[in-house]
C-alpha cells in the first residue's frame, strides 16, 4: 500500500533521522514543547501574557495568605522534585538548546536544590531606644516579572522561584525563546510542588511562546512591581529602561590571573575544570588567562594534562572566524562581531572539527596563546575556548585583566599565594565575585562556602541574589513602649 506523506511529516522524519545520526534523542524533542510534555499540558503556562499575569497575581494572593511554614513546605517539595528530575531537565536543556553538558547541568540543578536559600533568608530587624521600638520587615514586592536566559534555563527558573516565593511574591516568567520547553518544564515543576504541598495549583506562570512583545506586555502591566532580568547586555538595558524597579544580572567576561607564586599544577586543573563546566556557559566561568611569562609554559603543560588541547595562533585565528560573525545594525549601519549562536556551549571536539582538527572525547577545552587584542580575549564566547596572554609582572596582569573584564564588574579569578597581589587585583577589578585558588564555580557555592544563585546582579548591586533581594523594606514604629530594659 502506498503511503502519501505530507510535507510536514516528511520534514519531521528527516529531522528525526538527522538528530539520530547526530546522537541526539528525538524522543525528548517529540514529547516536549513550550506547552507541555507526554501529551500532558504544563501547569501554569498560558497562551497569553495577560492570562499569565492574572495567574501570577492569584498566586501572590495565595502566598500572602500563607504562613512562613506553609511557604517552606512548598519550597521543600520544589527542592525534592528538582533533585529527582534534575537528569530529565538537564537532558531536555541540552537537547533543546544544543548547548552544555547533561552531567554538569544535572549538577547545577542539585546545587540549586541544595543551596538556594528559602524563608530563613528573610530576617526582620529591630531597633530599640529611648523612643521605643522600631521594626523593619522584608515585605514582598507583589508580582515579579522574571526574564530568564538560555544558558541555565530551568536552573534559573527554579532558583528564582524558590527565592521569590520565600519572599512572598508571585512570579510570571518570560523565558528565553530558545529554551521554552526546558524553562516551562521547571515552571510546571514548581506548580506541581505547590499542589503537592497543599498550595495553589498555579503559583508561578509563563507563556507558551515568549517573545520580546510578551516581555513588553510584562514591562507595562501595572501589576508587575519588580522586574528581574538574567541575560546579556541588551535585555538588561531594556529592563533598566522600563521605568520600574528592576534587578539586572548581566554579562561578564571573567579574567584569570596566574602569578609566579601559584601552585601551577593545581591552577592548571582548576582553570580547566571551571572553564569547561557546562561547556563554559556559566557567566562566572573563566574566559581568558593572564599568566606570568615565567610560569606560562608550566601552566600550559598543567592544562594539557587536564584535557586541554593547544592550538597554534593561526588555527586560533581560523577558529575565531567561525565562532564570531559580523552583524550590521540595521538602524546605525555599524557592523560588529557577535558570537555565532551555533557554537555557544558546544563541546571542544565539535568546535575543533569546524576547523578540520579531529580529536577524541578526552579533549574538553581548546587553549591557545594570543595577544590582548585577540577576539578570544575581548568577547564573551561562552564556549570551551581559553586564550592565554603572557604578562611580565603583576602591574601588567592587573591592567590587562581589568580592561578585558570591560567594566562589567561581574567575576574575576586569581591563582596566587601572594596576598598583596591578590588584594591588589580584587580591589582594582571591583567584581561581584572574586575567586582565589579554585575553579570559578566555587564562587556560586559549588565547592565553596555560601549560598548559590544563577542570577548574579552586578549592574544593580544585589550581588549573589537570594530571597531577601526580592523584598522591599517596611518600617513599623511603636513609640515610647516595648523597650524593656
Ligand atoms: P540573552 O541576552 O540572549 O537573552 C536573555 C533573555 O532576554 C531572553 O529571554 C531573551 O529573549 C530576552 N531578551 C533579549 N533582548 C530583550 C529585550 N530587548 N527585551 C526583552 N527581552 C529580551 O541571554 P542568553 O544568551 O540566554 O544568556 C547569555 C547572556 O546572559 C550572557 O551574556 C551571560 O553572561 C548572561 N548571563 C548572566 C547571568 C548573571 O547572573 N549575571 C546569568 C546567566 C547569563
Amino acid at each position: 500500500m502506498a503511503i502519501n506523506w505530507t510535507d510536514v511529516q516528511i520534514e519531521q522524519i528527516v529531522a528525526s533521522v538527522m538528530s539520530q545520526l547526530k546522537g541526539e534523542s528525538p524522543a525528548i524533542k517529540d514529547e516536549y514543547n513550550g506547552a507541555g510534555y507526554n501529551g500532558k499540558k504544563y501547569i501554569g503556562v498560558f497562551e497569553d501574557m495577560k492570562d499569565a499575569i492574572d495567574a501570577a497575581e492569584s498566586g501572590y494572593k495565595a502566598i500572602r495568605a500563607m504562613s512562613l511554614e506553609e511557604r517552606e513546605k512548598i519550597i521543600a517539595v520544589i527542592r525534592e522534585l528538582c533533585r529527582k528530575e534534575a537528569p530529565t531537565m538537564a537532558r531536555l536543556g541540552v537537547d533543546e538548546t544544543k548547548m552544555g553538558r547533561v552531567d554538569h547541568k544535572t549538577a547545577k540543578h542539585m546545587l540549586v536544590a541544595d543551596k538556594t536559600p528559602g524563608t530563613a533568608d528573610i530576617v526582620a530587624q529591630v531597633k530599640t531606644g529611648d523612643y521605643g521600638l522600631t521594626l523593619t520587615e522584608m515585605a514582598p514586592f507583589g508580582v515579579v516579572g522574571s526574564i530568564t536566559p538560555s544558558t541555565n534555563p530551568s536552573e534559573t527558573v527554579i532558583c528564582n522561584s524558590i527565592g521569590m516565593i520565600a519572599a512572598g511574591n508571585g512570579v510570571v516568567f518570560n523565558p528565553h525563546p530558545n529554551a521554552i520547553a526546558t524553562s516551562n518544564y521547571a515552571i510546571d515543576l514548581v506548580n506541581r510542588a505547590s499542589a503537592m504541598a497543599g498550595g495553589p495549583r498555579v503559583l508561578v506562570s509563563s507563556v507558551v511562546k515568549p517573545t520580546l512583545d510578551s516581555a513588553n506586555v510584562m514591562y507595562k502591566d501595572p501589576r508587575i512591581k519588580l522586574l528581574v532580568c538574567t541575560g546579556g547586555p541588551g535585555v538588561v538595558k531594556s529592563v533598566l529602561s522600563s521605568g520600574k524597579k528592576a534587578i539586572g544580572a548581566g554579562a561578564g567576561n571573567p579574567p584569570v590571573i596566574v602569578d609566579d607564586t601559584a601552585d601551577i599544577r593545581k591552577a592548571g586543573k582548576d582553570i580547566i575544570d571551571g572553564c569547561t563546566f557546562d561547556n563554559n556557559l556559566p557567566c562566572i566561568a573563566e574566559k581568558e588567562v593572564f599568566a606570568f611569562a615565567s610560569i606560562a609554559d608550566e601552566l600550559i603543560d598543567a592544562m594539557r594534562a587536564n584535557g586541554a588541547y593547544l592550538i597554534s595562533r593561526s588555527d586560533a585565528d581560523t577558529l575565531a572566524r567561525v565562532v564570531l560573525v559580523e552583524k550590521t545594525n540595521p538602524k546605525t549601519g555599524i557592523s560588529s562581531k557577535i558570537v555565532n549562536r551555533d557554537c555557544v556551549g558546544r563541546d571542544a571536539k565539535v568546535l575543533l572539527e569546524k576547523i578540520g582538527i579531529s580529536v577524541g572525547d578526552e579533549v574538553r577545552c581548546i587553549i591557545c596563546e594570543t595577544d590582548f587584542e585577540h577576539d578570544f580575549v575581548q568577547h564573551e564566547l561562552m564556549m570551551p575556548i581559553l586564550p592565554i596572554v603572557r604578562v611580565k609582572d603583576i602591574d601588567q596582569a592587573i591592567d590587562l585583566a581589568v580592561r578585558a573584564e570591560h567594566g562589567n564588574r561581574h567575576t574575576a579569578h586569581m591563582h596566587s599565594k601572594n596576598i598583596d597581589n591578590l588584594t591588589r587585583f580584587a580591589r582594582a577589578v571591583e567584581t561581584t565575585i572574586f575567586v582565589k585558588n579554585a575553579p570559578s564555580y566555587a564562587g556560586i557555592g559549588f565547592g565553596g562556602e555560601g549560598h548559590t544563585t544563577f542570577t548574579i546582579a552586578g549592574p544593580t548591586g544585589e550581588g549573589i541574589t537570594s530571597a531577601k533581594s526580592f523584598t522591599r523594606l517596611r518600617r513599623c514604629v511603636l513609640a515610647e513602649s516595648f523597650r524593656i530594659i
Side-chain angles (χ1 to χ4, degrees):
M1 191 180 79
I3 300 171
N4 293 321
W5 300 108
T6 63
D7 286 351
V8 173
Q9 282 171 323
I10 290 168
E11 260 177 47
Q12 283 173 346
I13 292 164
V14 171
S16 168
V17 171
M18 291 303 289
S19 67
Q20 284 184 52
L21 288 173
K22 282 193 245 156
E24 291 161 2
S25 37
I28 281 213
K29 260 187 298 199
D30 289 346
E31 289 170 17
Y32 293 80
N33 57 52
Y37 62 102
N38 291 340
K40 199 165 154 295
K41 255 178 85 76
Y42 285 133
I43 303 167
V45 177
F46 297 83
E47 292 288 339
D48 190 77
M49 178 51 91
K50 284 275 177 206
D51 293 335
I53 297 172
D54 286 348
E57 195 185 23
S58 303
Y60 170 54
K61 284 181 184 152
I63 294 177
R64 287 218 64 177
M66 279 180 211
S67 65
L68 283 173
E69 198 181 342
E70 285 167 330
R71 277 188 223 166
E72 199 50 52
K73 268 190 197 149
I74 295 175
I75 290 168
V77 183
I78 297 174
R79 295 187 199 283
E80 192 188 315
L81 294 186
C82 182
R83 275 184 214 109
K84 209 165 109 198
E85 297 175 34
T88 307
M89 287 184 279
R91 194 159 148 247
L92 177 55
V94 172
D95 276 359
E96 186 181 24
T97 65
K98 309 275 180 300
M99 306 191 297
R101 293 177 45 147
V102 174
D103 52 349
H104 292 167
K105 283 193 188 293
T106 303
K108 281 159 59 176
H109 286 85
M110 295 296 184
L111 182 68
V112 166
D114 293 341
K115 296 192 85 172
T116 306
T119 55
D121 202 47
I122 308 295
V123 182
Q125 288 174 358
V126 170
K127 181 163 172 40
T128 67
D130 292 345
Y131 297 102
L133 176 144
T134 292
L135 171 68
T136 306
E137 289 195 294
M138 294 180 175
F141 267 90
V143 184
V144 180
S146 173
I147 294 195
T148 52
S150 58
T151 46
N152 322 302
S154 37
E155 301 89 314
T156 308
V157 166
I158 295 177
C159 188
N160 279 357
S161 293
I162 292 176
M164 290 168 186
I165 291 168
N169 298 291
V171 198
V172 55
F173 288 93
N174 196 70
H176 198 287
N178 296 347
I180 309 175
T182 316
S183 312
N184 284 350
Y185 184 103
I187 285 146
D188 175 76
L189 180 150
V190 172
N191 287 323
R192 280 186 280 131
S194 171
M196 284 165 73
R201 189 168 173 275
V202 178
L203 182 53
V204 298
S205 64
S206 166
V207 284
V208 174
K209 220 169 172 283
T211 57
L212 292 186
D213 288 341
S214 60
N216 271 320
V217 173
M218 182 194 252
Y219 292 177
K220 294 204 176 94
D221 194 298
R223 292 169 295 172
I224 305 287
K225 303 294 185 201
L226 168 68
L227 289 165
V228 178
C229 168
T230 314
V235 62
V236 169
K237 193 170 163 211
S238 83
V239 292
L240 295 185
S241 321
S242 68
K244 286 203 169 152
K245 160 78 183 175
I247 294 178
N253 194 34
V256 192
I257 291 179
V258 186
D259 78 9
D260 54 355
T261 67
D263 177 340
I264 303 299
R265 284 167 69 100
K266 180 176 182 305
K269 179 175 186 313
D270 284 355
I271 293 169
I272 297 301
D273 284 349
C275 173
T276 56
F277 191 59
D278 207 15
N279 279 345
N280 201 254
L281 290 179
C283 50
I284 57 163
E286 294 82 348
K287 299 285 190 284
E288 63 278 338
V289 175
F290 298 94
F292 276 33
S294 55
I295 52 86
D297 289 337
E298 197 187 340
L299 182 69
I300 289 170
D301 285 346
M303 290 177 169
R304 292 175 73 187
N306 284 284
Y309 185 88
L310 181 66
I311 58 171
S312 66
R313 173 63 200 246
S314 77
D315 281 342
D317 291 344
T318 309
L319 187 58
R321 286 192 289 275
V322 174
V323 302
L324 290 155
V325 288
E326 288 278 347
K327 196 173 176 197
T328 307
N329 182 327
K331 283 187 196 146
T332 60
I334 297 170
S335 64
S336 57
K337 285 180 189 164
I338 58 161
V339 289
N340 177 352
R341 280 266 168 191
D342 287 343
C343 297
V344 173
R346 291 300 183 110
D347 292 344
K349 182 182 163 172
V350 172
L351 297 173
L352 284 171
E353 268 164 20
K354 289 180 187 292
I355 57 164
I357 297 177
S358 173
V359 295
D361 289 331
E362 71 288 355
V363 170
R364 51 185 181 136
C365 190
I366 303 164
I367 56 170
C368 49
E369 286 200 52
T370 69
D371 52 36
F372 173 72
E373 280 74 27
H374 197 273
D375 284 333
F376 286 169
V377 175
Q378 300 301 325
H379 291 268
E380 185 198 25
L381 297 179
M382 295 179 288
M383 303 166 202
I385 297 175
L386 193 64
I388 300 157
V389 179
R390 287 179 193 246
V391 291
K392 63 178 191 305
D393 57 21
I394 191 65
D395 293 331
Q396 191 187 20
I398 292 175
D399 174 43
L400 296 186
V402 169
R403 282 160 54 197
E405 214 272 326
H406 300 311
N408 294 318
R409 303 202 292 182
H410 192 299
T411 299
H413 310 284
M414 184 158 177
H415 294 264
S416 169
K417 290 182 181 154
N418 180 324
I419 51 170
D420 293 336
N421 287 353
L422 286 162
T423 308
R424 276 187 61 193
F425 182 35
R427 282 192 183 151
V429 75
E430 293 187 278
T431 46
T432 305
I433 297 179
F434 187 78
V435 178
K436 301 170 194 147
N437 299 322
S440 48
Y441 42 71
I444 52 166
F446 197 82
E449 280 303 322
H451 70 270
T452 201
T453 186
F454 281 86
T455 296
I456 299 151
T460 48
E462 292 77 8
I464 322 298
T465 55
S466 61
K468 64 172 169 290
S469 316
F470 312 122
T471 61
R472 49 193 280 269
L473 297 182
R474 293 178 58 189
R475 174 185 275 199
C476 184
V477 179
L478 184 68
E480 291 168 16
S481 277
F482 268 91
R483 180 170 163 91
I484 58 167
I485 51 172

